[in-house]
Amino acid sequence: MDVINIQGTDDTPSVILDKASGKFEISGRSLPEDVNMFYEPILDWIDLYSEDPNDRTEFSFKLEYFNTASSKIILDILLKLEEIMEKGKEVVIKWHYHEDEEDMLEAGEEYADIVEIPFDYVLYND
Amino acid sequence: MSKEIESHRFLEFAYQLYKTMKTNEINLVYEGEVTQEITKTFTSLTEKNMARSEEPNQVQRKVFNVMVECLQNISKHADTLSDEGETDKRGIVMVSKGEDSYKIITGNVIRNSKIPGLKESLEHINSLDKAGLSSLYKQQIKETKLSKKGGAGLGLIDIAKKTGSKLSYQFKELNDDVSFFILTSTIKRN
């Protein structure tokens, strides 16, 4: 499968999606002008991946900030990962949050309430 | 002669504006089109100012978050004064730093027909506590579909959640068709 490797900017996140190495990570800031356009290839990639997923998928979110439009897309990603889990594969979300950013921890907990996937919360500082 | 008076008035206005900004500790005033570029410029400007003044990180992050949502609200939802094919998303943006809080004030033109719905959302949001806002957010994020403009209808809920303050707002009627909508978001500094 192709590897997605997008370098972050001041309004879009870095994205790495690599089936072979098992690295799945979205990090940085997400406040793009057009969320649909930015995330479309990412959602398409996950759709393709879910046809033949790894036995275990550890998906990392290490976001410093995301706007509300991105928050909807993040839920879409999580719902796709949930489908993979429903196929009998193991899925874990690593939800990173900065020590100064309680709101980010809360955001993770809210997602964990909505989807059935297990969340690991990882605290980091600069 | 009249030109001189005109120019004097303008200088006087500039001076009054400066004084008003200083007295009210207003750091930023803008009126014009609100684009993604403007959003990025203002948020990074405000970030730099806050970092310089050694504002706690948590406050800096909240101010950044709220500014983005306020500005993107204008760039997605602002209406125009005339129907004549104008599509610019314009508004005013002000940021003030007081003893206890930052205030982010935004204003934009809105069609009068949209006011009852917006008022209802604002009042509903203001009636909820932290837990209530969290469940409204979860319900909305599940049910909403992103609009073509990328709006999720979550911005105001998010601002209320992150600030922990009530949204303060006003509608000033401009004519039979449109009003000016002013929203003030308050971020406590401690």
Side-chain angles (χ1 to χ4, degrees):
Chain A
M1 242 188 119
D2 286 347
V3 172
I4 288 194
N5 190 343
I6 301 169
Q7 199 63 38
T9 67
D10 54 3
D11 62 358
T12 54
S14 297
V15 183
I16 297 172
L17 299 173
D18 185 345
K19 182 178 191 252
S21 73
K23 192 165 164 70
F24 310 93
E25 185 176 89
I26 300 180
S27 61
R29 284 183 175 186
S30 182
L31 52 139
E33 184 162 30
D34 189 337
V35 278
N36 293 315
M37 197 171 74
F38 180 80
Y39 281 99
E40 198 185 355
I42 293 156
L43 293 167
D44 288 347
W45 192 95
I46 297 171
D47 279 337
L48 203 61
Y49 172 76
S50 70
E51 285 171 17
D52 180 26
N54 295 347
D55 287 338
R56 178 184 159 87
T57 306
E58 190 180 292
F59 203 108
S60 282
F61 290 92
K62 193 176 181 179
L63 290 160
E64 186 193 326
Y65 170 71
F66 55 86
N67 66 353
T68 51
S70 303
S71 73
K72 174 65 185 168
I73 302 264
I74 293 169
L75 179 62
D76 290 343
I77 293 173
L78 292 169
L79 291 169
K80 288 182 191 297
L81 296 171
E82 189 176 52
E83 281 172 30
I84 294 174
M85 201 177 77
E86 281 161 3
K87 288 179 184 168
K89 305 288 187 184
E90 194 186 345
V91 179
V92 176
I93 303 300
K94 294 277 180 193
W95 188 268
H96 300 257
Y97 66 101
H98 190 276
E99 59 175 352
D100 288 332
E101 188 58 289
E102 272 170 51
D103 291 333
M104 192 54 76
L105 172 62
E106 271 174 33
E109 289 169 344
E110 283 171 345
Y111 284 123
D113 281 347
I114 300 174
V115 295
E116 297 294 327
I117 316 171
F119 272 58
D120 277 352
Y121 300 99
V122 188
L123 176 81
Y124 71 97
N125 36 44
D126 306 311
Chain B
M1 185 64 194
S2 76
K3 256 190 185 167
E4 246 170 64
I5 294 172
E6 195 65 15
S7 118
H8 177 76
R9 272 200 196 133
F10 185 76
L11 289 173
E12 187 56 30
F13 169 73
Y15 178 61
Q16 288 303 336
L17 178 65
Y18 170 78
K19 279 212 303 200
T20 310
M21 283 179 71
K22 284 292 163 201
T23 331
N24 295 290
E25 296 195 73
I26 296 169
N27 298 331
L28 174 75
V29 179
Y30 173 80
E31 191 282 328
E33 202 186 345
V34 178
T35 60
Q36 179 76 353
E37 284 312 311
I38 291 285
T39 301
K40 285 199 283 184
T41 307
F42 287 175
T43 46
S44 79
L45 197 69
T46 306
E47 268 188 311
K48 276 183 200 140
N49 283 336
M50 285 189 294
R52 210 178 297 138
S53 65
E54 291 174 2
E55 200 63 55
N57 271 336
Q58 285 188 347
V59 176
Q60 291 193 32
R61 283 164 188 258
K62 280 188 197 287
V63 171
F64 179 87
N65 291 1
V66 172
M67 272 187 87
V68 172
E69 289 304 326
C70 288
L71 291 167
Q72 291 190 331
N73 268 344
I74 296 179
S75 66
K76 291 188 174 112
H77 302 298
D79 291 318
T80 48
L81 273 173
S82 67
D83 294 327
E84 286 150 34
E86 259 187 82
T87 53
D88 280 7
K89 299 298 184 188
R90 300 179 72 88
I92 60 158
V93 182
M94 291 203 298
V95 178
S96 79
K97 177 189 176 181
E99 192 74 5
D100 307 317
S101 62
Y102 279 91
K103 284 194 195 304
I104 296 158
I105 300 148
T106 51
N108 60 267
V109 172
I110 178 173
R111 305 240 128 244
N112 288 340
S113 57
K114 290 188 197 164
I115 294 178
L118 178 56
K119 227 179 195 166
E120 200 184 317
S121 305
L122 286 159
E123 272 163 25
H124 182 47
I125 290 167
N126 278 345
S127 74
L128 297 170
D129 61 3
K130 194 172 171 359
L133 286 169
S134 178
S135 52
L136 177 63
Y137 187 86
K138 283 184 274 191
Q139 182 199 338
Q140 181 78 8
I141 198 174
K142 274 190 282 187
E143 289 170 3
T144 191
K145 288 229 155 56
L146 281 180
S147 69
K148 269 204 194 104
K149 290 174 268 178
L154 293 162
L156 295 172
I157 307 172
D158 191 58
I159 294 168
K161 266 176 78 201
K162 291 204 170 124
T163 60
S165 309
K166 301 290 172 206
L167 302 168
S168 135
Y169 61 92
Q170 259 192 323
F171 295 96
K172 301 270 187 198
E173 195 172 302
L174 297 170
N175 60 40
D176 286 348
D177 296 324
V178 292
S179 295
F180 197 66
F181 168 53
I182 305 165
L183 178 71
T184 306
S185 312
T186 306
I187 297 123
K188 294 187 196 79
R189 290 182 61 200
N190 35 48

